[in-house]
Amino acid sequence: MKVLILGLGGAVARRVALGLRDQGHTVVGIDTRPWADAPAGIEVHTVDLRKRGAEDVFRTRRPDAVVHMATVTSLRVQGEERHRINLGGTRVVFEHCRTYGVKHALFVGRHTFYGAAPDSALYHTEDEPPKELASFPELADLVAADLYASTALWRTPELTTSVLRVCYTLGPSAQGTLATFLRGRRVPLVAGYDPLFQFMHEDDVASAILLALDKRPRGVFNVAGPQPLPLSVIVRQAERVPVPLPMAVLRQLVGRFGLPRLPRGALYHLQYPIVVDGHAFRAATGFTHRYDEVQTIQSFLEAHPAPPSHRAQLRQGLETLGVMKP
């Protein structure tokens, strides 16, 4: 089988590429980020997905399957450009799939599709709509890309479409939203809240994608691994220091004094959980995770020990806001 991977520069995407190569498949990848030391057997094209060069790859290579992992979060790209990449890029991908006879399109989305809200069900199922986009507008283009990919199920019935809504990933690469959040020594929490966070090892995510390519399930599927943990437990297991702050104070401090940079809407995810039900995907593919929650955190910690403390900077910030006396 010939597989085209979009967004090959990501850690999980590269694991998928290596897995496919080892299984004997032909692997082609597209990304604006180069892979200078790409191993033999993986063909890399450093082009923009929305440009003519990417269409030429579809036209000349004629892939049997396409894995779309080229969406970006607000932590990487801001504003209108993110909208063009996520929604515009996804539209282009499915147009090329239809034009050039692709048999299977696999869109890798995020479980944050469902939104964080105080009245949400504990376990989200695939038929639930997104919520609370007004409070987190930076998530809207990712939700729109997911919904657009889902419409291919009826717009292009000859194309087998799999939409995977994958929970947070964590591992030695330190890529992804949760890893970025845990990168500093001190990790902010909203005082009075300790939501469950659902995450899985990046190797398990790659295995789930490989299974989906093999089994070709048609539909929308949540992908999850081990049991979720309270955010404070994750922070301590990663040997970071939890810093509970009132929401009003936290809004002023994110991105400053050693705390991670977060969109304001993301702060709601520090109050309310997003936990998905992954039974449908396991039933369709037979997926089981290899790494439990402790092993997953440990793999991140071993590669990225806690950095030096920013205690003095944080104290200065709290004094500036009048939360702490000089």
Side-chain angles (χ1 to χ4, degrees):
M1 180 170 63
K2 186 179 294 184
V3 183
L4 174 59
I5 301 175
L6 312 175
L8 187 63
V12 173
R14 293 186 178 187
R15 283 166 166 76
V16 172
L18 291 169
L20 287 168
R21 183 204 61 175
D22 293 346
Q23 292 174 4
H25 300 294
T26 300
V27 184
V28 183
I30 289 177
D31 203 308
T32 55
R33 299 165 290 182
W35 190 358
D37 56 346
I42 299 177
E43 179 183 329
V44 182
H45 297 265
T46 309
V47 296
D48 190 319
L49 175 60
R50 299 161 293 169
K51 304 298 184 181
R52 179 60 182 268
E55 182 176 2
D56 288 342
V57 175
F58 275 86
R59 179 177 54 82
T60 58
R61 299 300 184 268
R62 300 282 174 160
D64 302 296
V66 170
V67 182
H68 181 14
M69 303 180 69
T71 56
V72 295
T73 68
S74 55
L75 296 178
R76 281 182 52 200
V77 180
Q78 299 295 317
E80 186 62 27
E81 178 63 11
R82 189 185 64 245
H83 178 86
R84 286 194 291 265
I85 291 172
N86 290 338
L87 184 55
T90 299
R91 179 183 60 80
V92 166
V93 167
F94 280 91
E95 287 179 356
H96 292 343
C97 285
R98 182 176 62 251
T99 301
Y100 297 106
V102 174
K103 298 180 179 65
H104 182 201
L106 196 158
F107 175 87
V108 181
R110 295 161 174 82
H111 80 315
T112 49
F113 168 91
Y114 298 104
D119 58 346
S120 291
L122 179 56
Y123 283 91
H124 295 281
T125 57
E126 290 83 353
D127 57 353
E128 291 183 37
K131 298 182 66 175
E132 299 300 316
L133 286 180
S135 64
F136 195 175
E138 296 89 350
L139 193 63
D141 45 70
L142 283 171
V143 170
D146 182 298
L147 292 172
Y148 187 90
S150 301
T151 64
L153 289 163
W154 57 264
R155 283 188 299 104
T156 316
E158 69 277 13
L159 173 68
T160 299
T161 300
S162 307
V163 176
L164 307 186
R165 294 173 181 161
V166 182
C167 67
Y168 291 126
T169 64
L170 195 62
S173 76
Q175 290 187 11
T177 300
L178 181 56
T180 301
F181 187 59
L182 295 172
R183 196 163 289 164
R185 182 175 184 83
R186 295 181 175 274
V187 180
L189 280 68
V190 179
Y193 294 87
D194 196 7
L196 292 173
F197 261 53
Q198 195 171 28
F199 60 97
M200 57 194 295
H201 196 285
E202 53 199 21
D203 284 348
D204 283 333
V205 178
S207 296
I209 293 170
L210 289 169
L211 264 175
L213 284 168
D214 180 47
K215 303 296 185 179
R216 298 178 61 183
R218 179 182 175 87
V220 179
F221 301 93
N222 296 327
V223 180
Q227 64 178 347
L229 292 177
L231 178 56
S232 64
V233 174
I234 298 171
V235 172
R236 291 190 178 92
Q237 284 287 325
E239 297 183 2
R240 271 62 174 172
V241 180
V243 183
L245 296 168
M247 177 65 90
V249 175
L250 189 53
R251 286 196 181 104
Q252 301 299 317
L253 290 183
V254 288
R256 304 164 62 193
F257 310 110
L259 297 181
R261 179 176 61 87
L262 296 171
R264 289 203 169 194
L267 297 181
Y268 289 98
H269 293 210
L270 305 185
Q271 290 182 288
Y272 310 116
I274 306 175
V275 179
V276 297
D277 183 340
H279 283 90
F281 183 72
R282 291 196 292 270
T285 64
F287 171 72
T288 57
H289 61 273
R290 287 180 52 208
Y291 297 87
D292 66 22
E293 60 278 11
V294 175
Q295 292 169 325
T296 300
I297 297 172
Q298 189 63 33
S299 72
F300 166 80
L301 177 60
E302 289 173 357
H304 299 275
S309 173
H310 292 85
R311 186 184 185 90
Q313 287 183 315
L314 180 60
R315 183 181 182 90
Q316 178 187 355
L318 294 173
E319 290 174 356
T320 301
L321 294 173
V323 177
M324 180 179 288
K325 292 181 180 181

